[in-house]
Amino acid sequence: MPLIGVTIGIAAAMVSYAAVLTVTRQWKASPLPRSNLKWLAAAGGLVAAAIAAQWISYDLIAIAVAVTLMQLSVPVVILTAPVIVGERMER
């Protein structure tokens, strides 16, 4: 059931943020080009899937194994980002 709590928390944050944007009249068109929005949406979907997989892993395996694998993800991203994106774009 922790996924329901996370979902409700994110939804509450989204509604609160939308209310603040509306009250302060900061609700404007997106400063990003339309071509970038698909990448932003894909990234959001991947992050949501990763968070769901993390919570599911807590139910399926020992917490020590899950935490160890999560700590391994940081060096993997740091080492592979320049290769995938290109070192010039990384800076």
Side-chain angles (χ1 to χ4, degrees):
M1 288 304 204
L3 288 178
I4 292 173
V6 170
T7 304
I8 292 171
I10 290 174
M14 181 190 67
V15 169
S16 301
Y17 187 62
V20 168
L21 287 176
T22 302
V23 168
T24 60
R25 298 181 192 264
Q26 296 293 319
W27 205 255
K28 296 180 181 177
S30 175
L32 295 174
R34 287 247 184 236
S35 61
N36 291 355
L37 291 179
K38 64 181 175 185
W39 291 106
L40 192 60
L46 286 172
V47 168
I51 291 172
Q54 176 184 351
W55 282 99
I56 291 169
S57 72
Y58 291 157
D59 288 337
L60 299 177
I61 60 177
I63 192 73
V65 175
V67 170
T68 302
L69 289 174
M70 285 187 317
Q71 288 176 342
L72 181 64
S73 68
V74 173
V76 168
V77 168
I78 290 172
L79 292 174
T80 58
V83 176
I84 294 171
V85 176
E87 192 170 329
R88 186 176 66 88
M89 293 294 290
E90 185 67 20
R91 293 176 187 228

